Amino acid sequence: MTARILVTFLAAAGLAVPAAQATLKPADSTILAQAASPLPIPADSTTSGSATQPATPPAATTPPATATPGTATTPPVAEPPASPDPNATPDDGTAGQDDGDSPDNEPLSLGEIPTIETMELTPDIARRALDSYIMAKTKYADTDLDQYENLQDFVDQTEDGKKFETDVKAAGFANVTDWNLAVTTLGLTYASITDDQTADLDQQIKEVEDDKELAQDMKDKMVKALKALIPSENNKKVIQDLMNDPVYGAKLKQLDVEEE
C-alpha cells in the first residue's frame, strides 16, 4: 500500500506546478540533468616558490633480441592457475539478491508526503491561468528558472523573475503564488478529466484510514494530499467547458505531460 501511494504522490508532483521547472517545462519535470564531474584544475605555473623541474626522460629500453634464422626460440612458460583459497566462502547464489529492504518496502516519512493545494476555479480564472501559462512557457524557457526551488525565489533574485512577476500581475493575479495555485489546479483537474483516477484514489484513501499502524498525523496528511487530487464538481465543469471550446480546448492540450 505504501509503495502504491508513493507512486501516486510522485505522479501528482509531475502534474502539479510547485517546482519552477514543472511550471514551464512539464514534460521535463522528472528529468533533472545531473552536473558532470568537474574538470581537474591545472597547476598554476605562476605560483611562487621553486620552479618545477622538468621530468627526467625515461631511460632507453634495450631492443628485443633478434632471433637468429634457423634458431628456435623458447616459448614463455605458462604460470599454473592459482590454487583456490581454502578459507573463501563458497558462493551460495544469494549474492545480489533483494533482502526485502528495498525502498518500496520502506515506510513513508512525513516529509515525503507533499502538500497539495488547489482552489475553486471560475471560467475567467481558468482562461487567464491557461493563457499566461502558455505565454510564460515560451517567453521564459531560456532562463535559469529551473535552478530555483520555487517561483518566489526566481522573482526575488533575478531580473527575469521581476519581469515574470509583472506578466503574472498583468494577467490579473496578485502574485506568482496565486498564479501558481491557479495553474496547478488547472493541470490537476484537466488530468483528472482525461484520465479519471477517482476510484483508485478513493480506494487509497480508505486503505490509509483503515491502516492501524500509521500514526494519526501521517494519516491526516496523506488523506488530505490524496483528496486534493480529486477535483471538485465545479472545477471539473469549468475545465470541461474549456475543453469543449474550440480555442481553449487546443490550448489545454499543452498541459499534457509526455511519458518519458
Side-chain angles (χ1 to χ4, degrees):
M1 183 269 288
T2 298
R4 185 159 70 102
I5 292 177
L6 179 57
V7 169
T8 299
F9 289 152
L10 291 175
L15 292 171
V17 202
Q21 67 273 8
T23 302
L24 301 185
K25 301 180 181 178
D28 300 328
S29 61
T30 57
I31 305 177
L32 301 180
Q34 301 298 317
S37 300
L39 295 174
I41 301 174
D44 186 355
S45 59
T46 62
T47 304
S48 60
S50 58
T52 304
Q53 297 297 326
T56 304
T61 56
T62 304
T66 304
T68 304
T71 304
T73 57
T74 304
V77 179
E79 296 184 4
S83 302
D85 186 354
N87 297 321
T89 303
D91 184 3
D92 58 2
T94 61
Q97 291 187 359
D98 189 359
D99 60 1
D101 291 332
S102 63
D104 283 350
N105 294 326
E106 296 178 0
L108 281 171
S109 68
L110 198 61
E112 289 180 286
I113 304 171
T115 299
I116 302 173
E117 295 184 357
T118 57
M119 63 177 291
E120 287 301 303
L121 296 170
T122 66
D124 178 60
I125 291 175
R127 286 193 294 266
R128 288 189 285 110
L130 183 55
D131 286 338
S132 56
Y133 166 81
I134 293 173
M135 174 277 299
K137 183 179 179 182
T138 302
K139 185 174 181 180
Y140 297 96
D142 295 329
T143 66
D144 59 351
L145 173 58
D146 59 345
Q147 302 300 315
Y148 294 85
E149 185 175 347
N150 57 65
L151 291 175
Q152 193 59 54
D153 286 349
F154 177 64
V155 168
D156 293 339
Q157 300 174 25
T158 70
E159 287 303 316
D160 285 328
K162 291 175 175 57
K163 295 176 184 177
F164 177 70
E165 182 181 43
T166 299
D167 289 335
V168 164
K169 289 181 176 180
F173 296 95
N175 48 54
V176 292
T177 301
D178 287 355
W179 178 87
N180 191 51
L181 180 61
V183 175
T184 296
T185 305
L186 189 76
L188 288 172
T189 307
Y190 176 69
S192 178
I193 293 176
T194 55
D195 183 18
D196 190 3
Q197 299 292 322
T198 302
D200 185 59
L201 290 168
D202 284 337
Q203 179 60 32
Q204 291 185 47
I205 290 170
K206 184 178 184 304
E207 290 175 3
V208 172
E209 291 175 337
D210 293 343
D211 195 321
K212 305 300 183 184
E213 297 181 0
L214 278 177
Q216 191 59 47
D217 58 344
M218 287 280 290
K219 281 189 179 184
D220 293 343
K221 192 170 183 181
M222 291 173 76
V223 168
K224 182 178 180 181
L226 289 168
K227 285 184 175 180
L229 300 178
I230 303 175
S232 68
E233 291 302 318
N234 169 73
N235 286 351
K236 287 194 290 185
K237 184 180 185 309
V238 169
I239 300 305
Q240 188 63 66
D241 288 345
L242 284 186
M243 292 173 68
N244 296 335
D245 183 284
V247 175
Y248 281 92
K251 291 182 178 182
L252 275 169
K253 292 181 180 180
Q254 297 190 41
L255 293 175
D256 288 335
V257 179
E258 299 177 2
E259 295 289 341
E260 293 294 337

